[in-house]
Amino acid sequence: MINPAKTCQPIGAMYAALGIKGCLPHSHGAQGCCAYHRSTLTRHYKEPISASSSSFTEGASVFGGQANLLQAINNIFSVYEPDVIAVHTTCLSETIGDDLPQIFNKAIKDQIVPEGKTVFGASTPSYIGSHVTGFSNMVKAMAALAQPSDNKNGTINIIPGWVEPSDMEELKRLAALIGAKIMMFPDTSGVLDAPLTGTYSMFPGGGTPIDKIKDAGSASGTLALGEWCSADAARLLDTKCKVPCSILDMPFGLQATDRFIDALRTIAGSSVPDEISIERGKLVDMMSDMHQYFYGKKVAIAGDPDQLIAMTEFLVSIDMCPVHIVTGTPGKKFEKRIRELTGEMDCEVNVKAKGDLFLLHQWIKNEPVDLLIGNTYCKYIARDEDLPFVRWGFPILDRQGHQHFPTVGYTGGLRLLEKILSVLLDRKDRDDPEEVFELVL
Amino acid sequence: MTKAQKLVQWDPHNIKAKMLEKYPPKVARKRAKQIMINEAQENSTPEIVANVRTIPGIITMRGCTYAGCKGVIMGPACDIVNLVHGPIGCSFYAWLTRRNQTDGINDTHSNFLPYCMSTDMQDTDIIFGGEKKLETAIQEAYDLFKPKAIAIFATCPVGLIGDDIHAVAKKMCAKFGDCNVFAFSCEGYKGVSQSSGHHIANNQVFTHIVGNSPTEKKGKYKINLLGEYNIGGDGFEIDRIFVKCGISNISTFSGNSTYDKFASANQADLSCVMCHRSINYVADMLETKYGIPWIKVNFIGAEATAKSLRKIAKYFAEKELIDRVEEVIAEEMPAVKAAIKDVLPRTKDKTAMLFVGGSRAHHYQELFRELGMKTLSAGYEFAHRDDYEGRHVLPGLKVDADSRNIEEIKVSADPELYNPRKTAEEVAALEKQGVDFKEYGGLNPIMDEGTLVVDDLNQFEAEKLVELMKPDLFCAGIKEKYSIQKLGIPMKQLHSYDAGGPYAGFRGAVNFYQEIDRLVNSRIWSYMQAPWQKNPELSATYAWE
Ligand code: SF4
Ligand code: SF4
């Protein structure tokens, strides 16, 4: 594989675990993985990422990591005092075959888990799937903490998928406007967008309280956003706790947001307030204002399946032509879905799951595009091919703002359109020869 | 943090006690030996424990062996294709994340740094073995790039399932004939930190590349610069100075390196060691096998740079070079002096802490001294005892199980290429003049009495240190950056320089002065409190102007 469009499971598990209140993610393996995951998340969010490691050395790698994990749990509760430790495995501990539930039982038996504290874990071998799989596995492990309940409390579980803290905040805002009682997990808002105040707390106030997650079985239903990120957890809640679920696309762009809002108001039994309809109207207005610049423009996009599906639909809805679409995450369903979404477009579409950026670059060389959308690594392609480029996805290592400005929902849609139009017109202003260079565009 | 709060008095013993307070007894005992108070003792200097295992669950700054091998040492070589054998992550995270600038592309016409190549192992490979897949990937890399060399790196699972990467490398190397293929057993669990990875990498470079260059390197005063990684263009600045002095840098290990530069290292007449930790053994091997002596240098800090240049000139003992070096120093220093004069009133008496790497926590104190700043506490992330206490402790160091993981390579004088550059008498004479060969005094002696030296500082201890000692500046890596800054203390990354640099040499020093001035005097930190937080009392009536 050359120039991957994916990375490994644990980083997704680590990000998901940060969305639990007072939770320390723990990487069960050698310390390098944890260091790499923390560094990458830190560079993306520009926020402290606390996570610990079992720090395997050769002995642990041969005899198993139980002793290391028990020692780690004890040290973590003594020194950092989290409410929750969310353990994920690495390729190393998976290859050895460490059995997490058995080690947790031993920890409880040995009384190193203090009263009222939670230790749980997910198996996240990176030789299967991608970072998205790891996120999904950790969210599923959260769902597994929930117990069946006959006491339905009228709450709607929302599983947002791997979106930015700002996006999670925006989803909560929309739900509050509709008046839906929701319990969202994970929720990294308030964790990875913390203010600068002169004090540092390893566990800032945000995140979903673990008790609420454990109570997810009392909800009346689950809305899972994104098949790849969130569906497994929702289905588990359905089979285990009889909480019915709907799997929706991530609400990026007009139509996906429409479906999300419509589903939410239907389950909540409330009506959509004018505020939201006005926001929607503004997005439609901007789509019509900008349409002339978008029409027929070819786009290449790389990223994660759930995001790409919603983005493809959005681009098609403004009459752009997403012609090259690559995700590193496996899944035949992805290609099929993209084909459906682009079926009406009258140009050839290249789509690949389990692809890489090298392939995307080759495609672009063969069939040039007007715009590239993807994570920071795509900037090498953008530079080589001199393409207008919008950074969107994970990781973004060279620009800031994504943790604060949402791209979900209608207002998020406005932001996406603004970004796209800016790079297209900046390019035009840069390239237009003097004879045709114009003030008003 | 306001000025009033800063007038704290502290006693290092107290601080140490506070750092250990919360630990379970076993952890406290272990950490106590890695936290050293720099104070005179009756007949000895204080000892520190270093290069020992990280404690599970304690949030360390360290990375793994693979990171040290692939990321640090091999990362910068622009014309060697790096292929990582393992699941995707390890390769992804080491992809362009070290700031490896290179101008090697100008003479090699190939730059593979932007490429991330991995065998992307799947579960079937873990079960049935990944050698076939590795072979295919090597072939693919060869067909695609036709490189001079392909380097294979093993990540954790590879060691466990027992793929013989060296055999595959050998086979492919023989098959191609015109491409050197070699492998690194740098599984992350193989050592206690990056340091073992440096060692594994350097051993293989020495075994498979050094001495292989088909061309004779011309030029006067030929040196190797060992342990310089060209972060932020440091190497470019040092090379600029070398060129100006007429010194020929044959090979830098490994900043801005190329295959041929590595291969020519045996042609130098002196090895200059920057980062003692990551490379001293290569200097030793170059001496044993080829007869090239080595000295310790440091190009961080303007004074240190001048001193190092003079040391090199002294070694070559030719008036032409000695004079030229003086001329260059005289030319470069005025700009440095002017910059110091400008910032000194604002940086003087400020305080810093540095926890980074295996040499930078030492070297950067030179720059802080030039800024009139005091280092309150410092330590390394992955150094060994000799980097703290000096090389005189080397004979007494025990080889533990983790160090044994690093394959020892036996080196002896090369029957054809061994050529002692100086006779024993010349060496003795030079030593008399102050050119100390094979000598490094370590970090501890340069630190003030009563300062704290902490090995493998972790997140909890960092926070405690900052809280109690309230430095004006904290230096470490990306993982530490934002937790320190949330405390209102500016933080400078000394691994990646926060996208700044160069900081080496004369121009680098000027850059650094300005950067530190910016950091310790920035008004940003004064905005943390809102007006209503500073004066929470509600006044009875609002006074309309
Ligand atoms: S070993 Fe596995 S978990 Fe660790 S960084 Fe590599 S791919 Fe990720
Ligand atoms: S798997 Fe091993 S080699 Fe890879 S990052 Fe983790 S510790 Fe390092």
Side-chain angles (χ1 to χ4, degrees):
Chain A
M1 161 147 328
I2 310 176
N3 300 352
K6 68 165 180 185
T7 182
C8 68
Q9 286 209 39
I11 195 168
M14 190 180 278
Y15 178 61
L18 288 164
I20 300 174
K21 187 170 192 239
C23 175
L24 189 74
H26 180 86
S27 164
H28 186 50
Q31 73 206 15
C33 312
C34 184
Y36 273 137
H37 306 150
R38 288 179 64 208
S39 299
T40 306
L41 289 170
T42 305
R43 290 188 184 110
H44 177 85
Y45 291 105
K46 311 285 183 243
E47 286 288 311
I49 306 289
S50 299
S52 52
S53 161
S54 293
S55 294
F56 280 31
T57 48
E58 185 144 53
S61 310
V62 176
F63 301 113
Q66 168 164 312
N68 286 53
L69 185 50
L70 291 175
Q71 202 191 340
I73 292 172
N74 187 29
N75 288 337
I76 291 165
F77 279 126
S78 311
V79 181
Y80 309 110
E81 303 176 28
D83 297 329
V84 184
I85 302 176
V87 182
H88 57 260
T89 56
T90 62
C91 301
L92 179 55
S93 52
E94 283 292 333
T95 308
I96 300 167
D98 275 352
D99 177 2
L100 288 186
Q102 178 260 319
I103 302 176
F104 297 155
N105 283 337
K106 174 110 174 69
I108 292 166
K109 227 175 83 209
D110 291 358
Q111 296 184 318
I112 55 174
V113 183
E115 246 333 277
K117 307 257 174 170
T118 306
V119 180
F120 77 104
S123 167
T124 51
S126 306
Y127 39 78
I128 301 171
S130 74
H131 57 295
V132 179
T133 323
F135 181 92
S136 165
N137 283 341
M138 181 50 81
V139 179
K140 189 176 169 194
M142 294 177 198
L145 296 170
Q147 296 304 324
S149 160
D150 296 329
N151 269 338
K152 294 295 171 195
N153 58 17
T155 311
I156 302 160
N157 298 323
I158 293 187
I159 310 181
W162 187 333
V163 291
E164 300 291 336
S166 50
D167 294 322
M168 301 199 187
E169 191 71 55
E170 176 67 3
L171 293 174
K172 287 191 290 187
R173 186 185 70 92
L174 289 170
L177 282 174
I178 291 175
K181 197 176 148 206
I182 64 156
M183 193 281 286
M184 187 164 83
F185 74 95
D187 177 6
T188 55
S189 65
V191 182
L192 296 179
D193 52 2
L196 180 60
T197 59
T199 53
Y200 166 64
S201 163
M202 189 180 260
F203 308 107
T208 316
I210 193 78
D211 293 339
K212 292 214 168 152
I213 296 176
K214 287 178 178 168
D215 201 27
S218 312
S220 45
T222 303
L223 279 186
L225 308 183
E227 174 68 40
W228 272 259
C229 281
S230 308
D232 283 356
R235 290 193 186 111
L236 180 69
L237 284 173
D238 194 343
T239 49
K240 183 177 168 194
C241 305
K242 303 282 167 290
V243 178
C245 66
S246 298
I247 319 287
L248 302 177
D249 290 323
M250 281 183 173
F252 293 108
L254 181 74
Q255 289 140 310
T257 305
D258 280 350
R259 292 194 295 274
F260 169 69
I261 297 289
D262 204 35
L264 192 57
R265 64 116 194 182
T266 314
I267 316 173
S270 48
S271 52
V272 178
D274 288 348
E275 275 133 296
I276 293 185
S277 303
I278 291 169
E279 280 175 18
R280 180 181 190 279
K282 287 182 183 175
L283 178 59
V284 177
D285 187 66
M286 203 166 178
M287 287 163 75
S288 76
D289 293 347
M290 294 179 172
H291 187 254
Q292 59 165 322
Y293 304 106
F294 295 151
Y295 180 78
K297 293 279 189 304
K298 288 184 183 158
V299 191
I301 36 177
D304 300 334
D306 294 325
Q307 279 84 346
L308 290 182
I309 287 168
M311 180 56 96
T312 300
E313 185 183 29
F314 190 34
L315 294 174
V316 171
S317 77
I318 52 176
D319 284 327
M320 294 187 95
C321 306
V323 288
H324 309 307
I325 304 161
V326 164
T327 182
T329 301
K332 278 273 163 273
K333 272 185 289 185
F334 172 76
E335 296 179 9
K336 189 163 162 266
R337 189 72 208 286
I338 295 287
R339 294 255 173 245
E340 283 163 16
L341 290 169
T342 53
E344 312 244 298
M345 258 168 41
D346 57 357
C347 45
E348 278 291 305
V349 174
N350 291 314
V351 53
K352 181 126 178 61
K354 237 182 154 184
D356 55 36
L357 297 183
F358 189 74
L359 172 75
L360 183 72
H361 197 166
Q362 297 308 312
W363 280 349
I364 293 173
K365 276 190 184 300
N366 292 337
E367 165 82 47
V369 293
D370 304 295
L371 172 71
L372 174 64
I373 302 176
N375 69 19
T376 287
Y377 284 99
C378 293
K379 83 173 177 185
Y380 285 80
I381 302 177
R383 185 180 155 102
D384 273 2
E385 305 306 321
D386 196 15
L387 290 175
F389 171 41
V390 169
R391 286 165 178 79
W392 187 68
F394 179 87
I396 293 173
L397 309 169
D398 61 342
R399 293 291 189 278
Q400 302 191 22
H402 41 275
Q403 71 273 54
H404 295 301
F405 307 114
T407 53
V408 294
Y410 303 118
T411 48
L414 292 175
R415 181 154 192 262
L416 283 172
L417 292 186
E418 186 215 357
K419 282 183 152 226
I420 293 173
L421 188 72
S422 293
V423 296
L424 291 177
L425 294 189
D426 282 352
R427 163 55 51 88
K428 183 173 160 55
D429 279 341
R430 192 198 79 185
D431 288 355
D432 272 351
E434 202 158 332
E435 313 85 88
V436 296
F437 184 65
E438 285 183 291
L439 177 75
V440 182
L441 289 175
Chain B
M1 223 155 273
T2 61
K3 281 276 170 246
Q5 274 177 293
K6 289 196 62 177
L7 300 168
V8 273
Q9 273 312 316
W10 36 259
D11 159 28
H13 293 271
N14 261 336
I15 306 257
K16 180 169 175 178
K18 286 238 155 58
M19 286 165 81
L20 297 171
E21 209 170 60
K22 228 177 161 188
Y23 287 139
K26 238 175 94 182
V27 177
R29 271 200 301 280
K30 187 161 184 221
R31 287 301 301 156
K33 296 184 201 142
Q34 288 172 272
I35 303 175
M36 188 203 92
I37 297 165
N38 205 31
E39 57 191 356
Q41 293 180 340
E42 267 176 34
N43 306 315
S44 60
T45 45
E47 271 185 24
I48 190 164
V49 166
N51 192 35
V52 291
R53 291 179 184 179
T54 317
I55 304 164
I58 298 298
I59 302 178
T60 176
M61 297 180 182
R62 287 171 168 176
C64 66
T65 308
Y66 160 83
C69 177
K70 149 79 171 93
V72 175
I73 305 292
M74 297 311 291
C78 70
D79 58 349
I80 299 176
V81 168
N82 285 346
L83 171 61
V84 178
H85 186 37
I88 194 67
C90 317
S91 184
F92 180 86
Y93 304 114
W95 181 18
L96 294 166
T97 46
R98 294 251 315 165
R99 298 181 59 211
N100 296 320
Q101 301 180 355
T102 175
D103 63 5
I105 182 150
N106 299 337
D107 41 74
T108 67
H109 304 291
S110 32
N111 178 12
F112 304 124
L113 296 186
Y115 294 96
C116 169
M117 306 201 56
S118 162
T119 52
D120 186 23
M121 279 182 133
Q122 300 297 302
D123 42 357
T124 45
D125 306 318
I126 298 286
I127 299 165
F128 301 113
E131 289 178 15
K132 265 263 145 313
K133 194 166 193 182
L134 176 60
E135 217 178 288
T136 317
I138 297 171
Q139 184 69 49
E140 217 183 299
Y142 177 78
D143 294 342
L144 201 58
F145 297 117
K146 290 278 175 330
K148 290 194 192 75
I150 300 175
I152 321 293
F153 303 87
T155 72
C156 285
V158 171
L160 287 188
I161 62 174
D163 278 0
D164 189 345
I165 55 170
H166 300 284
V168 175
K170 211 164 157 194
K171 176 175 162 195
M172 298 310 276
C173 191
K175 179 175 172 194
F176 299 146
D178 60 351
C179 172
N180 195 353
V181 187
F182 42 88
F184 300 83
S185 291
C186 56
E187 287 87 347
Y189 59 78
K190 279 220 163 142
V192 303
S193 71
Q194 294 93 312
S195 167
S196 48
H198 305 150
H199 208 141
I200 289 167
N202 283 320
N203 279 351
Q204 296 297 77
V205 169
F206 194 84
T207 310
H208 292 282
I209 313 183
V210 174
N212 276 351
S213 178
T215 52
E216 196 191 320
K217 297 293 169 288
K218 301 265 178 334
K220 268 184 127 172
Y221 315 122
K222 290 187 280 191
I223 63 153
N224 294 319
L225 182 59
L226 306 182
E228 202 304 309
Y229 300 100
N230 198 29
I231 303 298
D234 275 355
F236 295 154
E237 164 65 3
I238 299 172
D239 281 340
R240 179 188 71 85
I241 299 170
F242 283 157
V243 168
K244 211 169 158 184
C245 294
I247 296 167
S248 313
N249 181 7
I250 300 298
S251 179
T252 300
F253 276 52
S254 57
N256 191 26
S257 53
T258 61
Y259 184 83
D260 189 59
K261 285 189 194 169
F262 280 141
S264 319
N266 59 305
Q267 300 186 31
D269 293 319
L270 173 70
S271 294
C272 301
V273 173
M274 270 283 275
C275 172
H276 176 261
R277 174 65 274 128
S278 56
I279 207 106
N280 65 80
Y281 34 85
V282 172
D284 281 339
M285 293 190 290
L286 284 168
E287 172 151 33
T288 312
K289 188 162 179 185
Y290 302 108
I292 310 170
W294 71 266
I295 54 171
K296 175 79 179 69
V297 295
N298 174 23
F299 290 99
I300 304 295
E303 290 297 337
T305 299
K307 205 170 135 194
S308 298
L309 291 173
R310 289 187 175 119
K311 207 163 160 186
I312 295 170
K314 226 180 221 176
Y315 167 85
F316 285 104
E318 279 186 31
K319 187 164 180 324
E320 179 203 17
L321 180 62
I322 293 171
D323 290 349
R324 182 63 195 145
V325 160
E326 290 308 325
E327 274 166 36
V328 169
I329 296 171
E331 261 172 53
E332 298 279 337
M333 269 310 198
V336 172
K337 290 268 151 58
I340 295 190
K341 198 164 161 239
D342 173 31
V343 302
L344 195 65
R346 295 183 298 274
T347 54
K348 201 167 168 304
D349 297 328
K350 300 268 184 194
T351 56
M353 292 182 178
L354 305 82
F355 295 93
V356 60
S359 64
R360 286 187 175 169
H362 172 177
H363 290 164
Y364 274 81
Q365 292 193 37
E366 292 280 347
L367 281 167
F368 286 120
R369 199 167 306 121
E370 289 170 1
L371 287 162
M373 290 174 64
K374 195 170 144 51
T375 301
L376 300 178
S377 182
Y380 298 125
E381 186 182 338
F382 49 73
H384 302 196
R385 257 187 76 195
D386 41 321
D387 306 304
Y388 288 103
E389 297 172 51
R391 284 177 67 88
H392 66 271
V393 300
L394 276 175
L397 291 190
K398 283 197 265 333
V399 181
D400 58 18
D402 296 307
S403 313
R404 256 190 288 275
N405 270 330
I406 305 162
E407 153 216 34
E408 268 300 319
I409 53 175
K410 289 260 168 299
V411 177
S412 51
D414 190 285
E416 283 157 40
L417 298 172
Y418 181 77
N419 160 30
R421 306 310 202 260
K422 299 270 175 191
T423 63
E425 295 77 50
E426 283 170 326
V427 166
L430 282 167
E431 274 176 342
K432 265 214 189 90
Q433 295 171 41
V435 182
D436 35 4
F437 290 98
K438 297 176 79 131
E439 186 42 51
Y440 177 49
L443 166 78
N444 298 359
I446 64 140
M447 300 230 5
D448 287 348
E449 174 87 17
T451 51
L452 282 154
V453 180
V454 188
D455 181 60
D456 185 21
L457 183 87
N458 59 55
Q459 162 142 2
F460 173 73
E461 293 167 4
E463 220 187 297
K464 273 269 160 287
L465 276 179
V466 169
E467 228 176 81
L468 297 167
M469 299 174 89
K470 306 199 187 327
D472 295 298
L473 180 71
F474 193 93
C475 306
I478 180 70
K479 302 193 291 301
E480 296 74 44
K481 182 169 179 81
Y482 299 100
S483 56
I484 299 293
Q485 292 203 158
K486 291 281 186 215
L487 289 163
I489 305 281
M491 152 60 191
K492 179 70 191 167
Q493 289 187 63
L494 282 189
H495 291 282
S496 75
Y497 298 168
D498 289 303
Y503 299 138
F506 299 110
R507 290 186 187 163
V510 173
N511 285 340
F512 196 75
Y513 304 150
Q514 286 160 355
E515 171 70 349
I516 297 308
D517 180 30
R518 175 187 76 80
L519 280 161
V520 299
N521 294 303
S522 165
R523 64 186 77 186
I524 300 297
W525 311 103
S526 69
Y527 303 140
M528 287 186 295
Q529 275 201 317
W532 53 91
Q533 289 165 326
K534 286 183 197 150
N535 294 307
E537 316 79 37
L538 276 180
S539 60
T541 49
Y542 185 80
W544 296 97
E545 301 270 325

